[in-house]
mmCIF file of all heavy atoms in Angstrom:
data_model
loop_
_atom_site.group_PDB
_atom_site.id
_atom_site.type_symbol
_atom_site.label_atom_id
_atom_site.label_comp_id
_atom_site.label_asym_id
_atom_site.label_seq_id
_atom_site.Cartn_x
_atom_site.Cartn_y
_atom_site.Cartn_z
ATOM 1 N N MET A 1 -5.334 -17.617 15.699
ATOM 2 C CA MET A 1 -5.331 -16.294 16.284
ATOM 3 C C MET A 1 -5.016 -15.273 15.209
ATOM 4 O O MET A 1 -4.081 -15.441 14.430
ATOM 5 C CB MET A 1 -4.287 -16.248 17.398
ATOM 6 C CG MET A 1 -4.475 -15.104 18.295
ATOM 7 S SD MET A 1 -3.415 -15.123 19.746
ATOM 8 C CE MET A 1 -3.264 -16.793 20.186
ATOM 9 N N THR A 4 -3.206 -7.968 13.683
ATOM 10 C CA THR A 4 -2.939 -6.865 12.748
ATOM 11 C C THR A 4 -1.991 -5.898 13.411
ATOM 12 O O THR A 4 -2.083 -5.633 14.588
ATOM 13 C CB THR A 4 -4.247 -6.133 12.392
ATOM 14 O OG1 THR A 4 -5.177 -7.078 11.819
ATOM 15 C CG2 THR A 4 -4.010 -5.006 11.401
ATOM 16 N N LEU A 21 7.321 14.093 26.003
ATOM 17 C CA LEU A 21 6.378 12.969 26.172
ATOM 18 C C LEU A 21 5.085 13.175 25.405
ATOM 19 O O LEU A 21 4.580 14.288 25.293
ATOM 20 C CB LEU A 21 6.051 12.788 27.661
ATOM 21 C CG LEU A 21 7.210 12.351 28.539
ATOM 22 C CD1 LEU A 21 6.742 12.284 29.992
ATOM 23 C CD2 LEU A 21 7.748 11.000 28.102
ATOM 24 N N ALA A 25 -3.474 9.179 25.441
ATOM 25 C CA ALA A 25 -4.557 9.129 24.446
ATOM 26 C C ALA A 25 -4.018 8.816 23.063
ATOM 27 O O ALA A 25 -4.737 8.263 22.233
ATOM 28 C CB ALA A 25 -5.330 10.423 24.446
ATOM 29 N N ALA A 27 -1.813 6.546 22.250
ATOM 30 C CA ALA A 27 -1.819 5.083 22.116
ATOM 31 C C ALA A 27 -3.239 4.564 21.891
ATOM 32 O O ALA A 27 -3.456 3.691 21.064
ATOM 33 C CB ALA A 27 -1.193 4.436 23.360
ATOM 34 N N LYS A 29 -5.713 6.096 20.509
ATOM 35 C CA LYS A 29 -6.127 6.427 19.140
ATOM 36 C C LYS A 29 -5.557 5.380 18.161
ATOM 37 O O LYS A 29 -6.253 4.888 17.285
ATOM 38 C CB LYS A 29 -5.628 7.809 18.741
ATOM 39 C CG LYS A 29 -6.023 8.216 17.338
ATOM 40 C CD LYS A 29 -5.484 9.585 16.994
ATOM 41 C CE LYS A 29 -5.859 10.036 15.608
ATOM 42 N NZ LYS A 29 -5.519 9.128 14.540
ATOM 43 N N GLY A 35 -7.490 -1.651 15.722
ATOM 44 C CA GLY A 35 -8.659 -2.494 16.052
ATOM 45 C C GLY A 35 -9.700 -2.446 14.957
ATOM 46 O O GLY A 35 -10.323 -3.477 14.637
ATOM 47 N N THR A 36 -9.893 -1.291 14.334
ATOM 48 C CA THR A 36 -10.818 -1.159 13.206
ATOM 49 C C THR A 36 -10.322 -2.009 12.021
ATOM 50 O O THR A 36 -11.086 -2.711 11.401
ATOM 51 C CB THR A 36 -10.977 0.321 12.795
ATOM 52 O OG1 THR A 36 -11.561 1.022 13.860
ATOM 53 C CG2 THR A 36 -11.848 0.447 11.534
ATOM 54 N N GLY A 44 -15.480 -7.873 7.791
ATOM 55 C CA GLY A 44 -15.877 -7.016 6.692
ATOM 56 C C GLY A 44 -16.629 -5.804 7.139
ATOM 57 O O GLY A 44 -17.370 -5.188 6.345
ATOM 58 N N GLY A 64 9.326 11.694 17.947
ATOM 59 C CA GLY A 64 10.489 11.171 17.234
ATOM 60 C C GLY A 64 10.579 9.665 17.266
ATOM 61 O O GLY A 64 11.392 9.065 16.531
ATOM 62 N N GLU A 68 4.868 0.601 16.924
ATOM 63 C CA GLU A 68 3.964 -0.330 16.232
ATOM 64 C C GLU A 68 2.862 -0.657 17.213
ATOM 65 O O GLU A 68 3.097 -0.937 18.381
ATOM 66 C CB GLU A 68 4.670 -1.549 15.672
ATOM 67 C CG GLU A 68 5.377 -2.424 16.646
ATOM 68 C CD GLU A 68 6.106 -3.573 15.951
ATOM 69 O OE1 GLU A 68 6.316 -3.555 14.749
ATOM 70 O OE2 GLU A 68 6.480 -4.526 16.678
ATOM 71 N N ARG A 72 -4.771 -8.050 18.622
ATOM 72 C CA ARG A 72 -4.792 -9.501 18.512
ATOM 73 C C ARG A 72 -6.136 -10.026 19.034
ATOM 74 O O ARG A 72 -6.497 -9.777 20.198
ATOM 75 C CB ARG A 72 -3.658 -10.103 19.303
ATOM 76 C CG ARG A 72 -3.532 -11.613 19.204
ATOM 77 C CD ARG A 72 -2.208 -12.114 19.779
ATOM 78 N NE ARG A 72 -1.867 -11.530 21.044
ATOM 79 C CZ ARG A 72 -2.227 -12.050 22.261
ATOM 80 N NH1 ARG A 72 -2.906 -13.148 22.293
ATOM 81 N NH2 ARG A 72 -1.857 -11.450 23.365
ATOM 82 N N VAL A 74 -8.525 -12.401 20.766
ATOM 83 C CA VAL A 74 -8.335 -13.463 21.760
ATOM 84 C C VAL A 74 -9.606 -14.248 22.036
ATOM 85 O O VAL A 74 -9.556 -15.357 22.574
ATOM 86 C CB VAL A 74 -7.749 -12.918 23.099
ATOM 87 C CG1 VAL A 74 -6.331 -12.432 22.883
ATOM 88 C CG2 VAL A 74 -8.612 -11.826 23.722
ATOM 89 N N LEU A 87 1.284 -1.551 22.306
ATOM 90 C CA LEU A 87 2.013 -0.485 21.611
ATOM 91 C C LEU A 87 3.484 -0.630 22.011
ATOM 92 O O LEU A 87 3.818 -0.607 23.188
ATOM 93 C CB LEU A 87 1.514 0.906 21.985
ATOM 94 C CG LEU A 87 2.178 2.018 21.185
ATOM 95 C CD1 LEU A 87 1.643 2.052 19.761
ATOM 96 C CD2 LEU A 87 1.970 3.361 21.855
ATOM 97 N N ILE A 90 9.780 0.938 18.642
ATOM 98 C CA ILE A 90 10.766 0.122 17.932
ATOM 99 C C ILE A 90 11.988 0.934 17.517
ATOM 100 O O ILE A 90 13.052 0.373 17.268
ATOM 101 C CB ILE A 90 10.166 -0.612 16.725
ATOM 102 C CG1 ILE A 90 9.512 0.366 15.744
ATOM 103 C CG2 ILE A 90 9.156 -1.656 17.199
ATOM 104 C CD1 ILE A 90 9.061 -0.302 14.446
ATOM 105 N N ARG A 99 19.220 12.138 14.898
ATOM 106 C CA ARG A 99 19.497 10.717 14.655
ATOM 107 C C ARG A 99 18.566 9.862 15.525
ATOM 108 O O ARG A 99 18.132 10.299 16.573
ATOM 109 C CB ARG A 99 20.961 10.367 14.967
ATOM 110 C CG ARG A 99 21.947 11.153 14.138
ATOM 111 C CD ARG A 99 23.393 10.815 14.454
ATOM 112 N NE ARG A 99 23.705 9.434 14.169
ATOM 113 C CZ ARG A 99 24.016 8.943 12.961
ATOM 114 N NH1 ARG A 99 23.999 9.739 11.895
ATOM 115 N NH2 ARG A 99 24.329 7.690 12.796
ATOM 116 N N PRO A 106 12.144 -4.300 21.172
ATOM 117 C CA PRO A 106 11.072 -3.295 21.265
ATOM 118 C C PRO A 106 10.719 -3.031 22.740
ATOM 119 O O PRO A 106 10.776 -3.926 23.583
ATOM 120 C CB PRO A 106 9.906 -3.961 20.557
ATOM 121 C CG PRO A 106 10.552 -4.940 19.620
ATOM 122 C CD PRO A 106 11.749 -5.453 20.357
ATOM 123 N N ARG A 113 -6.807 -4.203 26.866
ATOM 124 C CA ARG A 113 -7.726 -5.267 26.445
ATOM 125 C C ARG A 113 -9.101 -4.643 26.353
ATOM 126 O O ARG A 113 -9.472 -3.818 27.200
ATOM 127 C CB ARG A 113 -7.706 -6.402 27.488
ATOM 128 C CG ARG A 113 -8.562 -7.600 27.130
ATOM 129 C CD ARG A 113 -8.447 -8.644 28.252
ATOM 130 N NE ARG A 113 -9.239 -9.803 27.947
ATOM 131 C CZ ARG A 113 -8.733 -10.963 27.525
ATOM 132 N NH1 ARG A 113 -7.444 -11.092 27.367
ATOM 133 N NH2 ARG A 113 -9.532 -11.992 27.280
ATOM 134 N N GLY A 116 -15.000 -5.247 21.158
ATOM 135 C CA GLY A 116 -15.675 -4.641 20.031
ATOM 136 C C GLY A 116 -16.909 -5.450 19.704
ATOM 137 O O GLY A 116 -16.996 -6.642 20.052
ATOM 138 N N VAL A 117 -17.857 -4.823 19.037
ATOM 139 C CA VAL A 117 -19.135 -5.476 18.711
ATOM 140 C C VAL A 117 -19.436 -5.236 17.254
ATOM 141 O O VAL A 117 -19.253 -4.141 16.725
ATOM 142 C CB VAL A 117 -20.290 -4.932 19.584
ATOM 143 C CG1 VAL A 117 -21.596 -5.564 19.217
ATOM 144 C CG2 VAL A 117 -19.962 -5.127 21.048
ATOM 145 N N GLU A 122 -25.109 -7.169 10.579
ATOM 146 C CA GLU A 122 -23.909 -7.613 9.867
ATOM 147 C C GLU A 122 -23.610 -9.080 10.116
ATOM 148 O O GLU A 122 -22.850 -9.692 9.416
ATOM 149 C CB GLU A 122 -22.708 -6.742 10.291
ATOM 150 C CG GLU A 122 -22.846 -5.281 10.013
ATOM 151 C CD GLU A 122 -22.937 -4.954 8.538
ATOM 152 O OE1 GLU A 122 -22.339 -5.662 7.721
ATOM 153 O OE2 GLU A 122 -23.657 -3.983 8.204
#
Side-chain angles (χ1 to χ4, degrees):
M1 197 173 324
T4 301
L21 294 177
K29 180 182 181 306
T36 297
E68 60 183 16
R72 183 168 46 91
V74 293
L87 185 74
I90 58 173
R99 300 180 64 80
R113 184 180 180 104
V117 178
E122 300 297 327

